[in-house]
Amino acid sequence: MKNIKHIILVSALTLSAFGQASAQSSVNALSAVSSAIDKVKAQYAPDARQAVFDVKPYMDNDGRLVVGGKISEKAHKLALDEALAAVGTDYADSVQVFPDSVWAQVRLSVACLRTKPGHASEMASQAIMGTPLRVLENDGDWWHVQSPDGYISYVASSSVQEKTPEEMAAWRAGKRFIVTSPEQVRGWRNATATGMRDVVTDLVNGCIVEQAHENTLVTNGRLCVKLPDGRAAYVDATALTPIEEWAAQDFNAEKILDLAYSMEGTPYLWGGMSTKSLDCSGLAKVCYFSNGIILMRDASQQALTGQRIAAEDWRKCRAGDLLFFGNARTGRVTHVAIYDNNGKYVHSSGRVKRNSVDPEDPTYLTTPFLHAVRIAGNEETPGITRARNHPWYF
């Protein structure tokens, strides 16, 4: 009996030690995998505004290590697979990679993009009619989307029109026009309509529409166009420019500044990105887009692009350069303006207005000026893309 008790005791102790070793092994594996995930995220997807990389390791009910979550870019998933393979730990892969072949286009003159699904959520940005959007997730009333500048957000399904890859290919190859009028224009039910009840839609600078008929037919000064959702509208032909002509532009600082000045007095709107109302970085984006150039969405992102110019060298700035302001101690960027000349700039702060970076100027503002960047000559460097070279447009 004594020997049997001894055997049972030894067996229990052995099992306990094995269980503790197994538990410790699981903890070590979980820690190693978690560390690998964090390193990949830091290297490939550090900015949640530009990429979804929501991946976590966990132990399931059977004690199995699982890596689960969502990733927006296939290249990031491949990098993760390589990093986890190097760890040498068995795991179950439960990571969802979002598709890159589901599309939509904005069907309103201006659509609001939110940080989370829901009209009460913070407005992160806006997108104008015709803007191609990559659909990451289609969840009924709110779609998880990515815009051409890489920005990730949520849009109400009523604001967009779903498109197949074939429809997008036809759109890119088709006859299109872009609104180049600085003022808001109307799309009418027919070529002669002028009544307030004859409006089909409004259009703002940068909206893209298709030619409705095989031949370009202008009637009574209006061109019949097709909107992204298939509606037809007659638009003043002088407000439209063939998209190839718009995209072929060279850098033109005066054009950028002209559009900015045409919006003087326009109210500031957090997340706004159209000539109706806009925030500071929205002003820069809208004005540069009129010149066929796609900038990053936020001021803190724009500040990391182009050729940097030190604050003390502001006299070396040229028309069209971007000026950045913020916290002098931390260097955190909170505001952006478009430089004109002699220290003067135009920006959106309360409203679109003019001020100066020159301390001797009566319109000088005391917000710390951190640095400037030059976009001209730096197209096709990270964060600065000519629309004619963007595969979503052409």
Side-chain angles (χ1 to χ4, degrees):
M1 180 65 69
K2 185 175 180 180
N3 288 337
I4 293 174
K5 289 182 179 179
H6 178 73
I7 292 171
I8 292 173
L9 177 60
V10 170
S11 297
L13 291 172
T14 301
L15 288 172
S16 176
F18 176 79
Q20 290 176 4
S22 178
Q24 184 61 46
S25 176
S26 296
V27 170
N28 291 341
L30 193 65
S31 177
V33 168
S34 181
S35 178
I37 292 171
D38 290 343
K39 289 179 180 178
V40 173
K41 182 175 183 178
Q43 181 177 354
Y44 292 96
D47 190 344
R49 295 169 294 183
Q50 297 295 124
V52 175
F53 196 100
D54 184 14
V55 179
K56 300 291 182 184
Y58 62 93
M59 306 301 295
D60 67 11
N61 293 333
D62 297 323
R64 181 178 56 172
L65 177 60
V66 180
V67 175
K70 299 176 179 181
I71 291 179
S72 61
E73 310 303 324
K74 289 181 180 179
H76 298 172
K77 178 60 165 61
L78 292 174
L80 176 63
D81 291 343
E82 291 179 3
L84 293 181
V87 173
T89 298
D90 290 335
Y91 68 94
D93 189 339
S94 185
V95 176
Q96 175 190 356
V97 181
F98 291 139
D100 56 9
S101 59
V102 182
W103 298 93
Q105 280 185 298
V106 177
R107 64 194 296 255
L108 309 177
S109 63
V110 183
C112 296
L113 307 179
R114 307 282 177 179
T115 56
K116 296 179 181 179
H119 289 292
S121 298
E122 175 187 353
M123 189 164 76
S125 187
Q126 292 179 320
I128 52 182
M129 182 181 289
T131 300
L133 300 174
R134 175 189 170 199
V135 180
L136 307 179
E137 296 176 290
N138 180 339
D139 189 19
D141 292 339
W142 288 90
W143 295 6
H144 202 184
V145 298
Q146 185 175 40
S147 52
D149 55 13
Y151 212 75
I152 291 174
S153 58
Y154 292 86
V155 64
S157 60
S158 58
S159 299
V160 295
Q161 183 70 35
E162 188 171 6
K163 298 287 182 176
T164 65
E166 294 74 23
E167 287 172 327
M168 288 303 298
W171 176 78
R172 295 184 189 104
K175 184 67 174 178
R176 295 168 292 163
F177 293 87
I178 187 166
V179 176
T180 48
S181 168
E183 293 87 22
Q184 180 175 313
V185 298
R186 302 291 186 190
W188 303 92
R189 298 192 186 282
N190 56 61
T192 58
T194 58
M196 287 186 287
R197 300 187 184 189
D198 292 321
V199 175
V200 175
T201 186
D202 68 315
L203 297 164
V204 298
N205 188 276
C207 287
I208 300 173
V209 294
E210 295 181 79
Q211 183 172 292
H213 306 294
E214 185 176 349
N215 297 317
T216 303
L217 300 175
V218 177
T219 305
N220 195 33
R222 294 177 181 172
L223 177 67
C224 186
V225 301
K226 184 174 72 171
L227 309 183
D229 57 9
R231 288 177 295 160
Y234 287 79
V235 179
D236 183 351
T238 62
L240 303 170
T241 298
I243 197 167
E244 295 84 2
E245 181 181 327
W246 163 80
Q249 299 177 82
D250 292 327
F251 183 85
N252 188 333
E254 294 309 307
K255 183 168 188 175
I256 293 168
L257 285 162
D258 280 347
L259 185 59
Y261 285 128
S262 77
M263 289 184 278
E264 278 203 84
T266 298
Y268 176 95
L269 175 66
W270 178 269
M273 204 181 73
S274 82
T275 52
K276 292 185 177 186
S277 55
L278 24 62
D279 59 21
C280 63
S281 54
L283 177 69
K285 273 189 69 70
V286 167
C287 294
Y288 263 86
F289 192 68
S290 73
N291 194 209
I293 298 171
I294 302 170
L295 299 182
M296 301 292 282
R297 176 57 187 97
D298 293 339
S300 60
Q301 297 172 313
Q302 295 170 358
L304 300 176
T305 67
Q307 176 187 344
R308 190 181 180 98
I309 301 169
E312 59 268 24
D313 293 331
W314 65 262
R315 289 177 179 81
K316 296 180 181 179
C317 287
R318 302 174 189 167
D321 289 347
L322 299 181
L323 310 181
F324 295 94
F325 304 81
N327 188 307
R329 182 178 61 82
T330 64
R332 180 173 177 267
V333 170
T334 59
H335 189 62
V336 59
I338 306 173
Y339 188 77
D340 190 350
N341 60 69
N342 297 322
K344 297 187 182 298
Y345 59 84
V346 57
H347 63 137
S348 180
S349 178
R351 68 181 189 279
V352 177
K353 59 185 180 181
R354 311 179 192 202
N355 284 105
S356 176
V357 73
D358 184 354
E360 303 301 318
D361 192 295
T363 63
Y364 172 74
L365 292 182
T366 58
T367 304
F369 172 42
L370 303 180
H371 73 275
V373 301
R374 179 157 299 148
I375 304 299
N378 294 286
E379 298 90 332
E380 303 312 320
T381 59
I384 307 170
T385 306
R386 282 209 169 273
R388 63 177 177 242
N389 296 325
H390 198 301
W392 293 14
Y393 285 96
F394 293 94

